[in-house]
Amino acid sequence: MKPQADFGVVGLAVMGANLALNVESRGFACAVFNRTTEKTRDFAGRNLGARLVPGYSIREFTASLKRPRKIILMVKAGAGVDETMAHLLPYLSLGDVLIDGGNSYFRDTDRRVAMMAARGIRYLGCGISGGEEGALKGPSIMPGGDPVAWKHVAPILKAIAAKTEDGPCVTYLGRRSAGHFVKMVHNGIEYAMMQMLAEFYDLMKAGLGMSPEEAQKTFAKWNEGRCGSYLVEISALVLKYRDPDTGKLLVELIQDEAAQKGTGKWTSQSALDLGVPVPSITAAVDARIISGYKKDRVAIARVLPAKSRRLRGAGARQLEGACYAGFLAAYAQGLHLLGKASAEYEYGLNLAEVARIWKGGCIVRSRILDVLRRAYRAEPRLAHPFLAPVFRKALAPVTGSLRTVVSAATAASIPVPVLGATLSYLDGFGRARLPANLIQAQRDHFGAHTYERIDRPGVFHTKWD
Ligand code: 6PG
């Protein structure tokens, strides 16, 4: 077969299929392959007339690609990626480009980049965000790995990425697992924002007695302002959708147990490894875990009920301010983590660029990203986002709202794990002196771990008894 395809997609589940259609729609001939031949046949059959080149064996698929081949794997993260790579490898040539477009764990990507480099294959670990629609119309793309591989695929990735007034939502992020690390942190922020919105929905209903329609309208209004973001937008849409069978609001019929695939947990674990606090993200992961203990919650609610009451002293206006503060702090934690990871793993991340490519296509896209972008453009080596004047200016007027809402929610027994953790994070970083002096004294007391003093230099140990 004469090589004719510019790009190849392996894996035709919904994300892969939509990405292939996106590539094709930008004028590239796209080879497609799926392990189950029927799926490839079906996909090609449904898209007759498109410049798709179906491959019914790996040999046929790889033979259809122009050199150097450019192939993206859109298969489930984990062992499936290694298996697919092993199947492909015998048919690849030196200098071919292989991209993993799934949510792979960054340490797996480090291993694969090295393994492929040793075989002369240029590997990119590439986070892709935006769900089904994003894959089809323009996702945010976060590639990292072999820099020459990026040169080969940049025109295609730029063509298929979401576009904002600041350009296509893709850029080369750095070596090895830089792309998958950034995507992981994106998902961690996503977890925090989603849980905050769930908390606001609860506060509106249980705390302010809003009807679902009022809550829906409130989110829709927020979306017009500084909290404007994809997640607020879809929350408003979800809250008004009626189940066609029952005519009831579908969201009210959904079981209150949130699932997870693990990227939020990885963010927290990686942050702990690097010594970066991301309490809003961790609290969001915990909240999903608690939601999963449905049976136990039902039993405990009978014997130790947390009876939610109406909010006192906080209204819709404070909720909106708290949302803005919460979102700002969630991004701040994510960017702080990225800064530390970049130094530790030598990714060389440009955080202003990260904020820019998150502005379109991805799940955490929002107006707030402009604040972050400005902060890191002014000071690329910012130790913490809170130190940037532009960030402080945004945050200072709304921390009071967050405090009011968390206090009122606590008094009303409405759980706000992420909002609460976020407030303590702000208060912790906002204090020049914390009670960690007592921790040091305790450590020295029971383990002779020593301490430093504020009034003289040196390291000290005391016989406390
Ligand atoms: C995206 C999403 C995407 C996916 C998450 C869901 O950026 O498009 O983050 O990657 O929807 O993996 O994660 P959970 O199943 O863990 O919620």
Side-chain angles (χ1 to χ4, degrees):
M1 180 195 279
K2 191 170 161 293
Q4 47 178 319
D6 303 297
F7 195 74
V9 177
V10 174
L12 293 175
V14 62
M15 286 293 284
N18 281 357
L19 200 84
L21 292 175
N22 185 353
V23 170
E24 194 277 339
S25 75
R26 314 287 163 173
F28 301 102
C30 188
V32 290
F33 173 81
N34 196 81
R35 205 173 38 175
T36 320
T37 314
E38 207 36 55
K39 210 159 188 168
T40 313
R41 201 180 309 282
D42 180 56
F43 180 66
R46 271 185 291 121
N47 294 288
L48 289 174
R51 287 182 71 200
L52 295 170
V53 188
Y56 297 103
S57 65
I58 292 201
R59 181 190 297 277
E60 191 185 358
F61 169 73
T62 48
S64 73
L65 282 154
K66 291 180 195 160
R67 311 286 181 91
R69 298 181 181 89
K70 298 170 236 357
I71 299 171
I72 191 163
L73 308 181
M74 296 297 290
V75 300
K76 201 165 167 251
V81 176
D82 290 306
E83 279 161 31
T84 312
M85 282 165 64
H87 287 140
L88 272 170
L89 207 51
Y91 299 94
L92 298 182
S93 315
L94 284 183
D96 281 354
V97 174
L98 197 55
I99 310 170
D100 171 13
N103 273 334
S104 288
Y105 182 49
F106 76 99
R107 295 212 184 271
D108 285 337
T109 302
D110 281 332
R111 172 174 59 77
R112 290 170 186 145
V113 169
M115 195 173 89
M116 289 293 105
R119 287 169 172 74
I121 306 298
R122 302 191 177 283
Y123 194 84
L124 286 175
C126 190
I128 299 183
S129 177
E132 295 174 31
E133 195 178 321
L136 182 65
K137 297 185 181 156
S140 172
I141 308 180
M142 295 155 247
D146 186 318
V148 178
W150 162 246
K151 291 217 160 63
H152 287 303
V153 295
I156 299 175
L157 297 188
K158 282 180 183 168
I160 65 169
K163 312 282 183 303
T164 71
E165 66 284 5
D166 296 313
C169 294
V170 59
T171 194
Y172 175 73
L173 289 165
R175 293 197 182 251
R176 290 171 282 105
S177 54
H180 275 142
F181 198 96
V182 169
K183 175 58 172 36
M184 177 187 76
V185 174
H186 164 284
N187 281 30
I189 297 169
E190 169 186 309
Y191 270 55
M193 291 172 75
M194 289 170 75
Q195 175 62 28
M196 280 188 226
L197 291 171
E199 291 171 19
F200 287 122
Y201 157 66
D202 199 13
L203 288 165
M204 287 175 200
K205 278 181 48 189
L208 298 178
M210 284 189 187
S211 66
E213 288 74 14
E214 285 167 326
Q216 187 277 321
K217 286 200 178 97
T218 306
F219 279 128
K221 203 166 126 211
W222 287 8
N223 195 42
E224 302 299 314
R226 58 190 170 178
C227 295
S229 55
Y230 173 71
L231 285 169
V232 171
E233 180 191 340
I234 63 163
S235 300
L237 294 176
V238 158
L239 283 176
K240 69 174 175 195
Y241 184 88
R242 286 194 182 271
D243 173 36
D245 294 339
T246 61
K248 293 184 179 155
L249 289 168
L250 182 57
V251 72
E252 304 297 333
L253 302 174
I254 296 178
Q255 187 65 271
D256 58 336
E257 290 175 87
Q260 54 179 316
K261 293 201 206 77
T263 44
K265 181 183 77 177
W266 291 344
T267 310
S268 289
Q269 288 172 328
S270 311
L272 285 174
D273 286 343
L274 289 164
V276 180
V278 291
S280 307
I281 295 170
T282 306
V285 177
D286 277 338
R288 287 202 195 185
I289 296 172
I290 292 175
S291 83
Y293 283 88
K294 175 74 177 179
K295 231 174 81 208
D296 297 335
R297 284 193 285 119
V298 170
I300 292 168
R302 267 191 230 115
V303 293
L304 208 62
K307 245 182 114 18
S308 298
R309 291 177 295 275
R310 286 298 172 91
L311 281 188
R312 286 184 189 281
R317 203 165 55 79
Q318 281 78 20
L319 258 51
E320 192 271 345
C323 181
Y324 190 55
F327 281 5
L328 280 164
Y331 285 115
Q333 290 169 40
L335 273 279
H336 188 212
L337 173 56
L338 286 178
K340 197 71 190 285
S342 181
E344 185 71 21
Y345 303 139
E346 297 175 349
Y347 290 144
L349 292 177
N350 176 335
L351 296 179
E353 276 292 275
V354 171
R356 182 186 70 75
I357 67 169
W358 284 354
K359 279 183 57 177
C362 71
I363 306 296
V364 305
R365 64 185 185 255
S366 76
R367 298 214 167 96
I368 292 176
L369 285 162
D370 275 329
V371 176
L372 283 154
R373 185 166 179 236
R374 284 209 296 280
Y376 281 95
R377 277 181 102 178
E379 179 49 64
R381 304 221 169 274
L382 205 53
H384 191 287
F386 289 176
L387 292 169
V390 63
F391 205 92
R392 285 202 312 267
K393 220 173 119 203
L395 191 58
V398 282
T399 50
S401 297
L402 180 62
R403 189 173 312 285
T404 304
V405 169
V406 172
S407 311
T410 310
S413 302
I414 299 175
V416 285
V418 171
L419 294 174
T422 306
L423 180 63
S424 289
Y425 176 83
L426 293 176
D427 285 342
F429 268 103
R431 281 272 295 272
R433 185 155 168 88
L434 287 170
N437 47 331
L438 180 59
I439 309 283
Q440 281 302 80
Q442 291 164 340
R443 291 178 72 244
D444 190 58
H445 185 291
F446 62 64
H449 293 296
T450 74
Y451 56 88
E452 290 176 46
R453 298 175 57 121
I454 55 172
D455 58 348
R456 61 185 88 141
V459 172
F460 298 87
H461 169 58
T462 298
K463 293 232 169 294
W464 295 86
D465 288 326

